[in-house]
Each structure stands twice: as structure tokens, then as C-alpha cells.
């Protein structure tokens, strides 16, 4: 690394690279400079330094499946391709029995996690979802239930007349193990007003996750990028996550989520390039020094880009999925029927020069 510094012509970038090599935190200004001035090869080298420091040569995956209870939603975000109104041919609203039948489909498979998230249904309250969690736990007690974005939680808890703390504690008693990172989008309030003005505020999203962490409910964090945001918006978003992680240490992983252009009201914007995807992974890995894992969610990126991202800071590819999510396929993602066996994932990781490691939902090795 010391020799590399001699070949970085920009003094600001040399200083940042020296800090990264010395395991020192970079500032938001320095994070922005990486976005604006660093070439992709340098970002890859710096991100790999951090990645190997935190995770060695390991690349993680788990055996999981998704349940998306409904795509009916009270909100109508401009970037969303998933929401469909009642009566639309592509709309669905599964009953608790249908959802439990989905869980039972995996009775003969050694999955470890179910990921439950979907639209914010106008009629489903916290007790509805709590009862659903309880039934899943009764059927398969060992299954880790990662469920409900902060946006879903905000609505179901609010309409129940509960505080965030009381609502989350109730769901934990029902059997909720962790919460996913969806709904963060981009934290800048002016930009949020343009792309998702009806949705839970940034402050509320952060409060829900902070409260969950204090109750012993870990979570993930996300950032939607590649739409109307600037690099400054991205760094500000990640800085707020980093500050919260300083206080709670409750985030398991950070997941950059790429805006996809099909079937939504921002289609005219198009999509950012693969190069920008890799730059974004790398800067996230360098900047988020207190979040151990960076996830390349392969149903969104496609398998090839997920594989390449392992050399740009990512260390986790999510899981086997088994064709149980439609959120990104409805937005035009390459993976129309996302499914991989554990063997497929291990091969993909090994071909990239990394060691595949099966994990549980909390990154304990299996």
C-alpha cells in the first residue's frame, strides 16, 4: 500500500489513501472526494484493503426465501414498479393461510431465514402481522424471521396507537428476530419529497432502527441510488447511518440498491452504469467503517455484477432466494426468476478468488 501512494498524483487522494491504509476514519468531505476524483482502480484497491481487514477472504451467503404478503400499498413512490392497486391483474394480497403454505413449501429444505416485506396495506395492522409471525414460529421455531421495513413498521405501529418502542417490543414477543433495511431510499428530505413524498420521513426511519437496536433487534440498512441524487446526497445518507451505528452497533449489513427504470414514473432518468455501481460499492465499503458487511444483492445486480462487486468491497451475496421475490424483477432486473442453489453461489464466489462461507442471519458461520 505504501508503494501505491507514490503513484497517486492528487495530494488529497494520497492523504485519503494513507488514512484508509492506517485504518483511520475518513470524513464526509473525503468520501465525496472519492466519488468525484478517484478512478475506479484506486477505489477497488482501497475498498479491498478495508474488505480484507474486516472479512479476510470470506464471502458470505445464506439459505433463505422471501415472502411478499401484498403489493397493495397506501404510498405511491415515483421510483416504485412494485405497487399495484386492488383489482389490477398484477396485484396480490395473500391470506395468512397462503403465506403459511409458502413457509411449508420449505419444510424439506434446510433454509435458515425467511425475509418478509411488501407493500403497506391499508387494512393490515400490527396484530395481523404479529399473528402471522407467531404462526410461522409455531410451525418452524428455528427459522429466523427478518420482517417489515421501517415504512411498514411505522404505519402498522402508528395505526395501532402504540409508541415505536412498544410496537417493536410487541413484534419481538410475537417472534420477530430482525428487520430488513428497506424504505431508507435517500435521506435528504428535499429529494425525498420529490421521489417519495408520502412515505415515512428519514428521521422516523432512523428512529425506528435505533429503537429496534436498543431492544436487541438487529437490522440492515439500504440506500437507493442512481435516480435524482448526487454524490453529496449519498455521502450524507451514509454519514447518518454511520453516526447511528456509532451509537448502537445494530446494523448487520449495508445494501446499496440500484434504481431500476422499468414500469415507474422515473423511467425517463434511465439507469447508471455498471462502473458507477462498482464505484458506489467501493465508496460505501471505505466510508462505512463501522458496518462489517456490504451486501451485493444479486437479484438486483445480476449474478455477474454481484460476482465482480466482491473485488470492490462487497463480502455478502445474500442467499438462495428460490424465486420468491418480485420487487426487482417487476422493475426490469436481469434476474426474472431469482434462484440459486448453495452450490451455484459457492461456485460463483470461488471463481472470484474468495472463500464461500454459509452464514445465519446474524453472520454466524454455519
Amino acid at each position: 500500500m505504501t508503494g501505491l501512494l507514490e503513484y497517486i498524483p492528487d495530494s488529497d487522494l494520497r492523504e485519503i489513501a494513507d488514512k484508509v491504509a492506517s485504518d483511520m476514519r475518513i470524513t464526509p468531505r473525503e468520501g465525496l472526494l472519492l466519488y468525484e476524483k478517484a478512478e475506479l482502480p484506486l477505489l477497488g484497491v482501497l475498498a479491498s484493503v478495508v474488505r480484507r481487514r474486516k472479512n479476510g477472504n470470506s464471502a458470505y451467503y445464506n439459505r433463505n426465501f422471501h415472502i411478499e404478503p401484498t403489493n397493495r400499498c397506501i404510498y405511491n413512490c415515483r421510483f416504485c414498479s412494485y405497487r399495484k392497486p386492488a383489482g389490477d391483474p398484477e396485484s396480490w394480497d395473500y391470506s395468512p393461510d397462503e403465506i403459511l403454505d409458502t413457509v411449508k413449501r420449505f419444510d424439506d429444505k434446510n433454509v435458515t431465514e425467511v425475509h418478509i416485506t411488501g407493500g403497506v396495506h391499508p387494512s393490515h395492522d400490527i396484530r395481523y402481522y404479529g399473528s402471522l409471525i407467531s404462526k410461522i414460529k409455531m410451525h418452524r421455531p428455528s427459522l429466523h424471521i427478518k420482517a417489515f421495513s421501517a415504512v411498514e413498521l411505522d404505519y402498522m405501529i402508528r395505526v395501532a396507537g402504540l409508541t415505536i418502542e412498544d410496537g417493536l417490543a410487541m413484534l419481538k414477543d410475537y417472534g420477530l428476530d430482525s428487520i430488513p433495511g428497506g424504505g431508507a431510499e435517500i435521506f435528504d428530505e428535499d429529494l425525498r419529497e420529490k421521489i417519495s413524498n408520502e412515505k415515512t420521513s428519514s428521521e422516523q426511519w432512523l428512529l425506528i432502527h435505533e429503537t429496534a437496536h436498543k431492544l436487541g433487534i438487529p437490522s440492515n440498512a439500504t440506500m437507493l441510488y442512481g435516480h435524482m441524487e448526487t454524490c453529496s446526497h449519498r455521502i450524507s445518507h451514509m454519514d447518518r447511518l454511520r453516526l447511528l451505528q456509532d451509537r448502537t452497533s445494530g446494523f448487520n449489513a449495508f445494501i446499496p440498491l440500484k434504481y431500476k427504470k422499468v414500469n415507474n414514473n422515473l423511467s425517463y432518468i434511465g439507469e447508471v452504469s455498471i462502473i458507477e455501481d462498482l464505484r458506489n460499492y467501493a465508496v460505501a465499503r471505505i466510508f462505512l467503517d463501522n458496518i462489517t458487511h456490504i451486501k451485493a444483492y444479486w437479484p438486483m445486480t445480476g449474478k455477474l455484477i454481484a460476482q465482480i462487486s466482491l473485488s470492490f468491497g462487497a463480502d455478502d451475496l445474500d442467499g438462495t432466494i428460490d424465486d420468491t421475490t418480485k420487487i426487482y424483477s417487476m422493475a426490469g432486473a436481469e434476474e426474472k426468476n431469482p434462484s440459486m442453489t448453495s452450490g451455484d453461489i459457492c461456485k460463483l464466489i470461488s471463481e472470484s478468488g474468495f472463500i464461500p462461507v454459509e452464514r445465519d442471519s446474524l453472520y454466524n458461520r454455519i
Side-chain angles (χ1 to χ4, degrees):
M1 187 68 185
T2 303
L4 174 66
L5 297 178
E6 300 172 6
Y7 297 94
I8 303 174
D10 188 286
S11 60
D12 288 331
L13 292 180
R14 280 201 306 274
E15 183 177 337
I16 295 169
D18 189 43
K19 290 178 74 171
V20 172
S22 302
D23 198 14
M24 297 171 61
R25 172 168 287 189
I26 67 170
T27 66
R29 175 187 171 276
E30 290 168 332
L32 185 57
L33 280 173
L34 287 177
Y35 268 127
E36 293 177 342
K37 300 175 73 172
E39 299 286 346
L40 183 61
L42 175 59
L43 288 175
V45 169
L46 296 179
S48 293
V49 167
V50 180
R51 183 212 188 285
R52 292 181 187 277
R53 182 184 294 141
K54 291 185 175 299
N55 295 293
N57 228 21
S58 299
Y60 295 90
Y61 72 97
N62 71 340
R63 299 174 194 255
N64 66 342
F65 65 99
H66 288 224
I67 293 175
E68 294 165 0
T70 184
N71 65 346
R72 291 182 58 189
C73 189
I74 63 171
Y75 303 124
N76 191 15
C77 301
R78 294 184 67 197
F79 58 81
C80 182
S81 310
Y82 180 76
R83 174 192 184 271
K84 302 296 177 185
D88 187 284
E90 292 187 285
S91 173
W92 69 82
D93 183 15
Y94 299 132
S95 70
D97 286 343
E98 289 174 316
I99 292 170
L100 194 58
D101 285 343
T102 299
V103 175
K104 291 176 180 178
R105 277 174 38 206
F106 292 86
D107 282 354
D108 61 346
K109 299 182 180 181
N110 57 346
V111 292
T112 59
E113 174 190 285
V114 57
H115 179 143
I116 305 173
T117 190
V120 181
H121 194 284
S123 304
H124 296 170
D125 62 11
I126 192 169
R127 290 168 182 83
Y128 174 92
Y129 286 115
S131 174
L132 176 62
I133 291 173
S134 180
K135 289 177 181 177
I136 294 172
K137 278 292 185 184
M138 288 178 63
H139 177 72
R140 192 163 180 173
S142 64
L143 191 64
H144 182 104
I145 298 178
K146 180 171 70 179
F148 315 130
S149 70
V151 177
E152 295 166 87
L153 291 167
D154 182 38
Y155 180 78
M156 70 174 77
I157 292 171
R158 182 159 35 89
V159 298
L162 299 171
T163 65
I164 294 299
E165 183 172 1
D166 288 344
L168 287 170
M170 178 186 293
L171 288 169
K172 185 178 181 181
D173 288 342
Y174 275 118
L176 178 69
D177 293 304
S178 67
I179 62 178
E185 320 313 356
I186 200 81
F187 285 150
D188 182 85
E189 293 296 355
D190 290 338
L191 185 52
R192 205 175 182 85
E193 180 69 19
K194 295 176 182 178
I195 65 171
S196 55
N197 63 307
E198 303 167 337
K199 186 177 274 187
T200 302
S201 69
S202 304
E203 288 80 3
Q204 189 73 349
W205 189 99
L206 290 161
L207 175 62
I208 288 168
H209 281 261
E210 181 167 14
T211 305
H213 297 171
K214 289 178 178 177
L215 290 170
I217 305 170
S219 69
N220 289 336
T222 63
M223 177 179 72
L224 183 70
Y225 72 94
H227 45 92
M228 300 174 72
E229 91 288 354
T230 65
C231 293
S232 180
H233 290 137
R234 295 183 198 172
I235 286 294
S236 176
H237 182 102
M238 288 191 284
D239 190 46
R240 293 174 77 173
L241 293 174
R242 191 169 74 172
L243 290 170
L244 176 53
Q245 183 75 340
D246 280 342
R247 295 196 299 273
T248 68
S249 300
F251 288 124
N252 286 326
F254 174 71
I255 309 142
L257 296 175
K258 181 176 183 174
Y259 162 72
K260 303 294 289 184
K261 67 181 181 180
V262 175
N263 297 323
N264 61 65
N265 292 326
L266 292 181
S267 294
Y268 66 92
I269 290 175
E271 296 177 12
V272 296
S273 68
I274 293 170
I275 298 297
E276 187 62 24
D277 294 336
L278 297 176
R279 290 176 59 81
N280 198 50
Y281 278 112
V283 174
R285 177 61 289 168
I286 296 163
F287 189 81
L288 293 170
D289 56 7
N290 56 0
I291 298 180
T292 305
H293 301 286
I294 303 292
K295 181 183 293 187
Y297 183 55
W298 67 264
M300 173 200 71
T301 64
K303 296 168 187 174
L304 177 61
I305 303 308
Q307 187 177 41
I308 296 171
S309 71
L310 294 174
S311 297
F312 288 86
D315 66 278
D316 181 43
L317 297 185
D318 199 82
T320 48
I321 308 292
D322 205 14
D323 192 18
T324 52
T325 178
K326 299 180 182 178
I327 291 174
Y328 267 95
S329 60
M330 292 174 74
E334 176 185 326
E335 302 294 337
K336 302 304 181 187
N337 303 103
S339 181
M340 279 204 281
T341 66
S342 58
D344 293 334
I345 296 178
C346 289
K347 183 173 184 289
L348 185 150
I349 291 169
S350 297
E351 288 177 345
S352 303
F354 295 93
I355 300 169
V357 177
E358 184 179 353
R359 62 167 177 86
D360 66 12
S361 300
L362 303 180
Y363 288 88
N364 298 305
R365 293 176 177 234
I366 296 178

